[in-house]
Amino acid sequence: MRAVLTWRDKAEQCIYDLAFKPDGTQLILAAGNRLLVYDTSDGTLLQPLKGHKDTVYCVAYAKDGKRFASGSADKSIIIWTSKLEGILKYTHNDSIQCVSYNPVTHQLASCSSSDFGLWSPEQKSVSKHKSNSKITCCSWTNDGQYLALGMSNGIISIRNKNGEEKVKIERPGGSLSPIWSICWNPSSRWENIWMSRENEDAEDVIVNRYFQEIPSILKSTVYSSQGSEAEEEEQEEEDDSPRDGNSEEHNDILAVADWGQKLSFYQLSGKQIGKDRPLNFDPCCISYFTKGEYILVGGSDKQVSLFTKDGVRLGTVGEQNSWVWTCRVKPDSNYVVVGCQDGTISFYQLIFSTVHGLYKDRYAYRDSMTDVIVQHLITEQKVRIKCRELVKKIAIYKNRLAIQLPEKILIYELYSDDSADMHYRVKEKIVKKFECNLLVVCADHIILCQEKRLQCLSFSGVREREWQMESLIRYIKVIGGPAGREGLLVGLKNGQILKIFVDNLFAIVLLKQATAVRCLDMSASRNKLAVVDENDTCLVYDIHTKELLFQEPNANSVAWNTQCEDMLCFSGGGYLNIKASTFPVHQQKLQGFVVGYNGSKIFCLHVFSMSAVEVPQSAPMYQYLDRKMFKEAYQIACLGVTDTDWRELAMEALEGLEFETAKKAFTRVQDLRYLELISTIEERKKRGESNNDLFLADVFSYQGKFHEAAKLYKRSGHENLALNMYTDLCMFEYAKDFLGSGDPKETKMLITKQADWARNINEPKAAVEMYISAGEHAKAIEISGSHGWVDMLIDIARKLDKAEREPLLMCARYFKKLDSPGYAAETYLKIGDLKSLVQLYVDTKRWDEAFALGEKHPEFKDDIYVPYAQWLAENDRFEEAQKAFHKAGRQGEAVRVLEQLTHNAVVESRFNDAAYYYWMLSMQCLDMAQDPAQKDVMLDKFHHFQHLAELYHGYQTIHRYTEEPFSFDLPETLFNISKFLLHSLTKATPLGISKVNTLFTLAKQSKALGAYKLARHAYDKLRGLQIPARIQKSIELGTLTIRSKPFHDSEELVPLCYRCSTNNPLLNNLGNVCINCRQPFIFSASSYEVLHLVEFYLEEGITDEEAVALIDLEAPRHKREGKWQETSSNNSQTLRLDETMDSIGEDDPFTAKLSFEQGGSEFVPVVVSRSVLRSMSRRDVLIKRWPPPLQWQYFRSLLPDASITMCPSCFQVPSPQLAPPAPPFSVSPLGSCGDGGDHELSGDCPSHCPAGSCSAHP
């Protein structure tokens, strides 16, 4: 720090106080009984102000600059305007000692020996307050809330704006140490809070980025500014670097100077900060810099001393000839004015020199005069070291940091070898005072530069070596080396440049030039030396030959690139200059000094701020490219260029056929297309290709230089490649020009590619025409079909020859897809593809055409009828579907369809449908039984399905009775059906049939009809079954009430066997057969009563046709004649009918065969002969004409007067009816009941009869 006198003046009287106008343009001095107004720029006295009658002791300016106040021994206060006019005057009872304006409200505090007053422009009167001691000084806090008063009895009183005392500070010296000057630190509360937060953020940055990898920089350098030429001195500016300490330390800090020769600091609360600082003189004034970073103290020592805000003395501002009564700092500047006892007024400028050091990417500099901040230039991390003494010199090298203080040198080291580590600790202390111009630190030594002498000291302070130079040392830096043997580069004022090793007494002279050295640097390989001399010229030498390689003007500092031997940069005249090899210099604007150059980063010192500037190396790279020096250009690019520069390098190297460099450059910009091209060329070169024209043509084609590429292709004899290039790019006109009148094949290929292009650009019709002209029918068909152009497709199909099968098939497929089956059929017929034609008819459901084609070509029968049957089944036309399956020979599929339908009907409780489906299944099995291999199995299934059809047909009525709320069936019908089911369900119960419902129905109807024994049996059976809740109560009630009935059944309900005339019990253990003759009962399909039918069998040798013929003969039978005879007696008259028979015999031959007692356990069927057949009437015989392999079944009615009919399809017999004699008939299974034949049906036909084949259907 240096103080430079700007101007000086002298008044006739003592200068007791002074004040600056807030904008710094004017200075008001209290001199005698006058006020002197000076211009601060040149010290001109502008005007003396007269108003007081006695000595003026104090003066103060309001912060808004509108007015100032003065106080005098005449006990008066005068308020002056900024135009130097007095506007107001008021008085106290004693002489005025001090005045101070509130910085916020502009309230004026005026203090006398016995009281103090508070005045503001808004109020007319002055508020005065008594004091028990003489007030010597006063000062407002920054926020204007409190006023501090210093008194002669050693007490400090802190008052609020109303004058009330809030804090009282009693100094230990009391009246022996009167308070002579006080001042609040002007740094604002919010500014310091912000600075504290900034500091916390900075610490967080250091912690969070502590382990990040920091790029290593190879250059070894220590930059010192302490030489006479290297020292850079600038006016101090605001330092925004983070500071340590809490915010309370900076807020409302009161500096107190007393005549006990102490400097102290207090908080607003009255708590003292730290200890008293001894001054060794009586202080008369104390003043802060505008931002509060420094303090000025003047007094009896006849000088002004500069202190830090913490009270550390930094130096002297200016020595005077008498006591210093007042000193102030010009607002927002480094100018200081001093007023003395003898009337001298001195105006100084304080110049703070930059103290710093640099090594690689670590920069250490002084901050606030007593702190050292180490900054990592790459990561921007910072660490602060608080020394609490004036920092005089700084040196940094690798993991070492040296700080020179007034009485010692501190050596710091890093905690670890990590390049990102920013934590330092004290390694050694050399407690000794040194005077030096420059300071350098090495691994184990420090180097002191003292004018012409260099001293090497160990860290313990022992001097090990000393070198005496011929001239003043202007520059010194460490250039690296092993620990304890580092090399130093030294530049002297006489132009000599030396290299010194710290372990060697002898200096090595590298070269000698005529001008003084200002700055030095050595290249990374130690082969070249760059020097900046006192004429601002940069000179570059070859160290070995001492030859001057080149020189450049306008340089003030120079640095070699640590990663490139041939690159250096130098600064000067506001420009940064970059020079590569011997190429011209590239310039760009830059303020400051270049102190380092690493890759693309240049470290620049501007004032005392060090920054890393990213500088693209584009200019030197292009200089190398212009000379086709691709490898050197690549090395420069690696230091840092833009992506555009990388791409330009890659293209230039590729055109120069420097594939290795081009590959690296394209890899950098991640251009996979060109990398693939280079890889392809390298593979071709490995295979022996060496035609550079062909390689360059490929490069030109990739770059879009198509005509140049075509010329090279033609020159190298590869015209086809040029043609392919043009066609791939859809440059068909250029391709035609290039081709001329060439090969027709190539012309066709060109048309095809043009059609491809037209297709890709969505011009399909043009593409179709081009494809047809080129003979590419498949592509033309594909486009036409995809766009639905049926007319164009049929034109193509009709023009094609039938031998061109594939294109025609494509046409047919598109016709099908576009719903034009007629055109598709025409196409299939053209190529004779009948199988596809059949499939077309099937897919489009054009069955008539399919059947017609099947008639002509029986080999396609399966292909037609199987899909037809499936279609019928899907449309619920199952009977037709079965016929179709039969025609197709797919019996198994027919059965599976019906089985699934039957199962669904049972699950859904549609028992009538189930009966119908089972009947159809049985007939299906009967049809399949014609195959001898399946006969036995299919016949078993036939009988099983017939039985199930009868069961489900009967159970439908039971289900309707038990599940529906209303039933229209007769009790006798329900009784017969439930009894029939009970006797039929002796083994397993089919799915869906409920035994509970059957027994429940039987029990209720038996009880209603008088079959009490059977009802009781049914109720007993129900007790062993799981009963649904809905009929539980009904069954329990029936079980109780049936016990009140007699234990027998009504004889009217007992069934009669019409063969042996045996009455059978209602509960038959044998089932539905006679217990005597074992003859199976024939039941009505509607009421389920036992019919008067007896099945008979033909004698061996009688065929069905003969039997029918014998029955049809119908031999005449004599009728019985009856005559009435009347007889009388005494008491009565009797009328008797006498029957007589004709002479042909009494008995019917068939009846005679039945008249016997059997009683055995085996059933003996009735077998008739031809004579018996001849005796039968057609009216009495029913025939079930089953298709083969089943035999016909014959039944004889034993009650000819009761008419019995039978359905010709299902052969079921409804209930008999007594009717007038009708002509006998026999039914044919192929006939129809309602076709107007010679027979009639009465009653209902069962539900499983095929619809439409029985007139008994509703």
Side-chain angles (χ1 to χ4, degrees), residues 429-430 432 434 446 457-464:
K429 292 183 181 179
I430 305 177
K432 188 177 180 181
F434 295 97
I446 59 170
L457 281 71
S458 66
F459 286 165
S460 60
V462 178
R463 187 176 64 183
E464 294 185 355

Side-chain angles (χ1 to χ4, degrees), residues 1034-1093:
S1034 178
I1035 292 175
E1036 290 176 353
L1037 182 62
T1039 303
L1040 292 175
T1041 56
I1042 195 61
R1043 297 185 183 280
S1044 64
K1045 303 297 181 182
F1047 190 67
H1048 63 78
D1049 297 326
S1050 174
E1051 293 184 358
E1052 295 178 359
L1053 301 175
V1054 175
L1056 174 68
C1057 175
Y1058 286 95
R1059 176 175 176 179
C1060 64
S1061 300
T1062 302
N1063 287 327
N1064 283 263
L1066 292 177
L1067 188 62
N1068 191 343
N1069 293 332
L1070 297 179
N1072 292 316
V1073 297
C1074 177
I1075 61 173
N1076 180 39
C1077 63
R1078 306 298 194 272
Q1079 179 71 35
F1081 294 132
I1082 310 298
F1083 294 94
S1084 166
S1086 56
S1087 65
Y1088 278 80
E1089 59 183 325
V1090 178
L1091 297 176
H1092 47 275
L1093 293 177

